[in-house]
Amino acid sequence: MAIDHGLWLHWGMNPGPSACKAHVLTATLWNHVQLGILKVLFHIDCISETMPQTSVLFSSILRPSCSGQVQPSMGERGGGASSSRDLIFQDGCLISGSLEALIEHLVPTVDYYPDKTYIFTFLLSSRVFIPPHDLLARVGQICLEQRQQLEAGSEKAKLKSFSAKIVQLLKEWTEAFPYDFQDEKAMAELKAITYRLTQCEEENGTVKKAITQMMQSLLLSLAARSQLQELREKLRSPALDKGPVLKAKPPATQKDILGMCCDPLVLAQQLTHIELVSATVCLPRERVCSIHSEDLMQIISHVDSRDNHRCRGDLTKTYSLEAYDNWFNCLSMLVATEVCRVVKKKHRTRMLEFFIDVARECFNIGNFNSMMAIISGMNLSPVARLKKTWSKVKTAKFDVLEHHMDPSSNFCNYRTALQGATQRSQMANSNREKIVIPVFNLFIKDIYFLHKIHTNHLPNGHINFKKFWEISRLIHEFMTWTQVECPFEKDKKIQSYLLTAPIYSEEALFIASFESEGPENHMEKDSWKTLRTTLLNRA
């Protein structure tokens, strides 16, 4: 949902004790969080100075579990002298190498199989340098060369072992990044490799069976993705899927959120359910579970395509990022709508306190994205300017929430809370304790700055693989969080309201706000006059 930030932030209000700080926080939150995914992807240069920056300490993240070093049980990677010289290790960790050497390091041999973390990291990051179908072609070529050497030596046992390892590599690739194979060229390369394996394995039914199972699983994944994309295209409006937007204030008799759910914990649980669970794809506001690892790498691909004047990224893959960003904006606008549409001050006060409690419950659950969206909605100017309403609100809880979302020092307080939730998740015995839903826009910007701060290539021409270890770690951690099974029971009525309830337009929010509490200074009076004139002209 497109937001006119200038319209929201120009008010010179002095609302209540909490809303005074809320107004200041509003501007910072919108600057840091609500610039939107599209600006990250396509308007990088003009906003780079205002985005939060992430300091990267690679020594703390290159642990043995994600270092890419060769597992002792898997043997050493074979290759010529030039190949070994083109891979640089530091304390047993792979930190750089030429593209060709990194590709060779991916391909198994009779005595070697790459570390799983290296497979994921290289397959994820390689698309920045080489399209998946070209990478697959090169992998196939290396495999063919090794097979020919083994066949020349008449070593059938080793040949079978090598074939099994190649199938295992392809299986891991198709499971981790199945959508690489939507490309006809990539699928053709995959079929060529598997055909050669089956032709040479007439006496080995195990390999054939593994290939058949792999292809069946891949085709099912691709079919599901294709159906989802078709439904998305049918549902897309000429602009973006914004959900229903009200142009004027609806009747006061219309149901509000308190009429659907008056328990803050229950609403927080339903918000978390929406964030985690892919319910029906026909709803207009997408969830986090629609996002895949390769989608997140489009951020880097688009930045590089702008720098290099050529396109590596697939624009269609950014739709899930835009849609999830749209969910954040819709939730913020829904909160503002629910507050501004209430006629009586007493009921508005209750509505604000209710959303404060919902945000607090989201924080306790670990759903930081919904919490930030709710706080942002309450901090929008049409809500923040309601001085008389805010004066009746018990703001102690809101002050605590604002402290957690304080953008100073690169959102230090939020990152501390996120780290605590992450540690809880790692030691959790139940799905309830495993829930971690980060503020998505901040996560995206962390990846962006990590990419921009550190170069792709070192002075010697090597790929700076240390950088991609960290990007991979962030993405893998995020994807792990999205796979948590939601422990909360779904309430269809509440979720339907959250996902489909009409929301006010920006103009309607200001009209409702002024109707609730009249303008108090010259700037507000001029704005109110302009709004009324606009409405009269339309009539």
Side-chain angles (χ1 to χ4, degrees):
M1 174 172 295
I3 303 292
D4 184 346
H5 305 289
L7 183 63
W8 293 116
L9 304 177
H10 79 274
W11 303 99
M13 300 300 107
N14 183 24
S18 177
C20 290
K21 291 190 295 181
H23 172 66
V24 176
L25 182 61
T26 302
T28 315
L29 283 173
W30 284 118
N31 285 337
H32 282 280
V33 179
Q34 291 292 66
L35 288 168
I37 300 299
L38 288 176
K39 288 187 178 180
V40 176
L41 293 177
F42 303 115
H43 303 289
I44 297 298
D45 299 331
C46 64
I47 58 172
S48 59
E49 294 182 0
T50 64
M51 285 186 178
Q53 298 188 16
T54 304
S55 175
V56 181
L57 299 176
F58 287 112
S59 59
S60 66
I61 57 96
L62 288 174
R63 301 180 297 276
S65 62
C66 61
S67 64
Q69 56 189 1
V70 177
Q71 296 179 0
S73 61
M74 294 300 180
E76 296 290 340
R77 178 71 176 90
S82 62
S83 174
S84 61
R85 284 198 303 268
D86 284 344
L87 290 178
I88 306 299
F89 291 82
Q90 187 177 67
D91 298 326
C93 302
L94 177 59
I95 61 171
S96 72
S98 66
L99 179 60
E100 181 63 23
L102 291 171
I103 294 174
E104 291 184 7
H105 195 59
L106 174 72
V107 181
T109 66
V110 173
D111 303 314
Y112 161 82
Y113 191 82
D115 184 276
K116 287 182 179 295
T117 56
Y118 176 77
I119 294 174
F120 179 83
T121 300
F122 181 70
L123 290 178
L124 180 68
S125 58
S126 63
R127 64 200 66 234
V128 175
F129 308 99
I130 181 173
H133 65 267
D134 285 345
L135 174 61
L136 196 58
R138 182 66 187 117
V139 168
Q141 183 181 359
I142 296 173
C143 292
L144 180 61
E145 292 170 357
Q146 292 194 46
R147 283 192 62 86
Q148 290 173 343
Q149 292 177 4
L150 292 172
E151 289 170 351
S154 300
E155 300 179 87
K156 291 187 177 181
K158 289 184 177 181
L159 189 59
K160 289 181 179 181
S161 173
F162 174 72
S163 297
K165 288 180 179 180
I166 296 302
V167 173
Q168 178 61 28
L169 174 65
L170 295 175
K171 180 174 180 288
E172 291 192 39
W173 190 338
T174 56
E175 289 177 347
F177 307 99
Y179 311 118
D180 285 350
F181 300 91
Q182 279 184 313
D183 178 23
E184 293 181 358
K185 293 180 180 179
M187 182 61 81
E189 292 292 347
L190 176 64
K191 290 179 178 179
I193 295 173
T194 55
Y195 175 77
R196 286 195 293 267
L197 290 174
T198 55
Q199 287 296 103
C200 300
E201 294 295 329
E202 295 179 358
E203 299 178 1
N204 188 0
T206 304
V207 169
K208 289 184 178 180
K209 183 178 179 180
I211 290 174
T212 300
Q213 291 175 344
M214 176 189 72
M215 294 301 293
Q216 288 175 344
S217 297
L218 175 59
L219 292 175
L220 285 174
S221 296
L222 293 179
R225 175 83 162 197
S226 178
Q227 290 175 359
L228 178 60
Q229 287 178 338
E230 289 176 5
L231 283 170
R232 280 173 172 171
E233 289 302 318
K234 291 179 181 178
L235 292 166
R236 289 185 81 170
S237 62
L240 285 175
D241 295 335
K242 300 179 181 179
V245 179
L246 298 182
K247 301 300 181 182
K249 195 168 185 177
T253 55
Q254 184 175 317
K255 284 186 177 181
D256 60 17
I257 189 66
L258 286 173
M260 297 298 300
C261 177
C262 58
D263 187 335
L265 176 58
V266 171
L267 188 62
Q269 290 174 346
Q270 294 308 305
L271 286 169
T272 303
H273 201 287
I274 290 171
E275 297 268 6
L276 287 176
V277 178
S278 181
T280 168
V281 297
C282 63
L283 293 172
R285 299 164 196 174
E286 288 285 339
R287 272 78 67 200
V288 65
C289 51
S290 304
I291 298 171
H292 304 277
S293 301
E294 58 268 40
D295 298 335
L296 294 167
M297 284 302 289
Q298 292 301 310
I299 301 165
I300 293 175
S301 297
H302 279 298
V303 172
D304 286 342
S305 68
R306 292 177 72 253
D307 293 341
N308 300 332
H309 305 289
R310 57 176 176 165
C311 182
R312 293 194 186 96
D314 181 356
L315 285 172
T316 61
K317 289 184 179 180
T318 66
Y319 176 68
S320 60
L321 306 185
E322 298 163 28
Y324 187 50
D325 181 53
N326 188 47
W327 153 249
F328 183 104
N329 290 338
C330 283
L331 180 55
S332 296
M333 294 289 283
L334 178 63
V335 169
T337 298
E338 293 290 326
V339 174
C340 289
R341 65 186 290 240
V342 178
V343 176
K344 295 183 179 180
K345 180 174 65 177
K346 179 180 179 180
H347 293 164
R348 280 198 306 276
T349 300
R350 183 188 175 199
M351 186 69 74
L352 280 171
E353 291 180 339
F354 174 72
F355 277 119
I356 290 170
D357 288 338
V358 173
R360 185 182 64 168
E361 294 296 346
C362 285
F363 177 85
N364 293 336
I365 289 172
N367 183 358
F368 299 104
N369 198 59
S370 290
M371 180 188 75
M372 177 70 96
I374 292 170
I375 294 175
S376 297
M378 290 188 289
N379 281 332
L380 292 175
S381 291
V383 179
R385 66 165 297 276
L386 298 172
K387 179 173 64 175
K388 295 176 183 178
T389 304
W390 277 102
S391 67
K392 301 296 182 180
V393 174
K394 298 175 182 178
T395 58
K397 298 175 185 177
F398 192 54
D399 292 341
V400 173
L401 292 174
E402 286 188 324
H403 172 75
H404 287 306
M405 292 295 107
D406 183 355
S408 62
S409 301
N410 192 17
F411 288 86
C412 177
N413 295 338
Y414 157 71
R415 295 183 188 281
T416 300
L418 180 64
Q419 184 179 15
T422 302
Q423 292 173 349
R424 180 191 67 186
S425 177
Q426 293 169 347
M427 298 182 292
N429 296 317
S430 67
N431 285 332
R432 167 64 183 81
E433 297 173 325
K434 291 180 181 179
I435 296 173
V436 182
I437 305 174
V439 178
F440 185 63
N441 284 347
L442 290 180
F443 169 75
I444 290 295
K445 287 161 190 165
D446 284 347
I447 294 178
Y448 161 71
F449 271 103
L450 183 61
H451 175 57
K452 291 298 287 185
I453 290 171
H454 301 279
T455 60
N456 287 347
H457 292 90
L458 300 176
N460 64 356
H462 278 194
I463 291 174
N464 182 9
F465 208 69
K466 185 186 287 188
K467 161 185 172 176
F468 290 101
W469 279 126
E470 172 63 358
I471 291 176
S472 172
R473 185 189 68 81
L474 289 175
I475 292 178
H476 185 270
E477 187 174 54
F478 179 83
M479 297 309 300
T480 300
W481 292 335
T482 68
Q483 301 307 312
V484 173
E485 183 178 350
C486 186
F488 309 125
E489 185 177 352
K490 178 181 178 180
D491 188 307
K492 293 183 179 179
K493 290 184 178 180
I494 296 176
Q495 288 199 19
S496 177
Y497 186 90
L498 290 170
L499 291 164
T500 63
I503 53 179
Y504 282 12
S505 65
E506 300 167 21
E507 187 179 77
L509 274 177
F510 275 109
I511 292 171
S513 179
F514 282 131
E515 287 179 346
S516 297
E517 296 185 19
E520 294 193 353
N521 58 40
H522 291 299
M523 185 181 294
E524 283 196 342
K525 290 177 182 179
D526 290 341
S527 297
W528 181 221
K529 182 179 179 180
T530 301
L531 280 173
R532 286 187 299 179
T533 302
T534 301
L535 290 176
L536 288 173
N537 290 336
R538 286 179 186 170

